Amino acid sequence: MMNTNGRNGRNGQTIEQSIPVIEIANMTKIYQMGETAVHALNDISLTINEGEYVAIIGTSGSGKSTLMNMIGLLDNPTSGSYRIRGTETSELSQSQMADLRNKEIGFVFQRFNLLPRTNARRQVELPLFYAGTPGGKAVQMAREALAKVKLDDRADHRPDELSGGQQQRVAIARALVNNPSILLADEPTGALDSKTGDEVMGLFYDLHQQGMTLIVVTHDNDIARQAKRIVTLRDGKIISDERNGHTVLHPAEWARGGDELVTNGPVKGEAIAISLPKEGERVYESA
Amino acid sequence: MRALRYFSVAVDSIVAHKMRAVLTMLGIIIGVAAVLSTMGIGSGAAASITESIESSGTNLLTVSAGGGGGSSASTLTIADATALANSKAFPDLALVAPQYSESATLTQSGEEGTYQVVGTTATYADVTSLDMASGAFFTTEQVENNERVVTLGWNVASDLFGSAEPVGQTVRINTNLFEVIGVLEEVGTVSRSGSIDDLVYVPIEVAQGLLFNADRYRGSYTVSTISIQVASSERIDAAELQIEQVLRLRHGLGADDENDFTISNQADILEMASEVSGTLTVLLGGIGAISLLVGGIGIMNIMLVSVTERTREIGLRKAVGAHNSDILLQFLVEALLLTTMGGLVGIGLSYGVAFIAGAIPAMTFNIVIEPWTLTLAMGVSAASGLLFGLYPAMRATQLDPIEALRYE
């Protein structure tokens, strides 16, 4: 375990000394739904450091999607502060937010959101187009990003010629291409079967090992428990922020049953189903 | 050039949706082709009218008996024509040819027909630049001697003589025998007084006296019209004024009296004809413009559908850093590209229509597509792209990226 931590110096105790990438302080988001005001986010504070692998979980209506939109600079909070790499963002214009999204955030979506009838290389070049990267350099960068997801041999394939897992890897290459500060994934395995889902999570594991800051928003506890840190939301508040302390496992080891490697985290199996609510279950009401 | 970068994005999108692109362009293609062809018909008709008027001489003035007031008896006489023919007094009036015409029956060995007989002078052939198929028009001597000679129009000759040579033979006009001395070349064009091919020409005083016993005014035979060729087109207005003054004086008209004759000018007729054909062009162009407008609305409709269909794409583009202006330009450039391509295809189509119309023998004129209408068509296509692409593009920019990404 310590060997794994020490390999790149970004895991374990070293996180505390790392540079904060995301600093959210007292963030509130209120949606006016007719007469009633809905506190989608209620005074949330959260700091994520460079190299962390964080899962944000919660049922629908818990505020996790709203938090993801805030982190992803797709929306402005009603109050509070959000700094990404030290840049305060809560007062930015739409245009400035677009530039920050382009530079700092790589999005991965549940349903891939690839452009139809466009080959993989051009998909990956898309963020570079809006960054104004010159054509030749963009082609080179897209090639490198596709190599990172091991799809360099599929650069000329269009989405309908790729499997679901391959499509999601193209989307991950697109998220990585402009060297963002964080990779923000929204239910990245939600549209995939468990095998290809494991492939994608394996890729996340590799990226984490390479020092990428990863935030995965999910309702799936199996997915969440592959992260190093689990932030649980309920009713717009963070109800737990759990640093598992266990070594982040490669999904292959999960499949093999690497439970013995986990020292102080929850164990895979029925114990999780009891300890954490699943999507659609309003466990907290009766709790 | 920032807009240039969106060109490849627009091309990608059009290539990715070929069928939709073709359907979108169809409105503009048909609109542009309609505008260009109809305006081509207008200018072709105008050119044809102008040509036929110019062929009869633009320096021609025609004085007709009777003024605007509707006087009962003709006061225009052969003496008036003689007075105007005084080249020393009126150097602007180069050639003067009076005419007296009435219909009469022509017979020749059993063949019979009623034709308009025109009594005139030898000068008439020069004024109207008649061409002979055979024989000759009558000479000044023949007119002065009141010889019973006749020159036939092409149709009259073929009606009465068939394929036989008429020159040298005789023909009976009413009851009087005339010698045929010439046949006119077939003209074919139809003028106000019918086709020249259906006319019969005799010396003027023979018509006035022997044939029709024309009215006299102040002792001189009356005439129907006097054709006058003016020395140069610049002198037409001056000539008109001179003729008016002389005739008013000769007819003893007071200052308050209206003219008892009418002077018409080929240039006026030409102007009127081009005005008519101009109106025609505007009218047809207007119809075409309406179809272009309909085409433009079609573009807007399909662009709106396209924006809705591509909601998730727009959301994604925004998520990866597209500004609102990027989205706006993307859709505008796409609309612009579609309409200009449609415009070009429409121009091609209109040339095809003009070519096919030119090949139809029954068409009496060609479709003339003038270069300025091409510029207009391209300009209108591009403008409709901007105009009708703007609203859908604005709609696209206003999409909330969060909503757009979730759009099913």
Side-chain angles (χ1 to χ4, degrees), chain A residues 10 20 24 27 43 92 94 116 126 197-198 207 224:
Chain A
R10 289 187 189 276
I24 293 172
M27 183 187 276
D43 196 24
L92 292 180
Q94 281 197 9
L126 193 64
D198 283 347
L207 290 170

Side-chain angles (χ1 to χ4, degrees), chain B residues 56-64 84 92-97 99 127-128 192 225-233 235-244 262-269:
Chain B
S56 60
T58 45
N59 294 358
L60 196 67
L61 289 176
T62 307
V63 184
S64 323
L84 291 171
D92 290 334
L93 313 182
L95 298 167
V96 177
Q99 294 134 61
V127 172
T128 55
R192 205 166 26 146
T225 54
I226 306 173
S227 297
I228 299 164
Q229 191 174 319
V230 181
S232 72
S233 54
R235 299 297 298 167
I236 283 181
D237 290 343
E240 231 172 291
L241 205 65
Q242 284 172 4
I243 294 164
E244 190 177 1
T262 310
I263 304 171
S264 55
N265 179 334
Q266 287 287 53
D268 288 347
I269 296 169

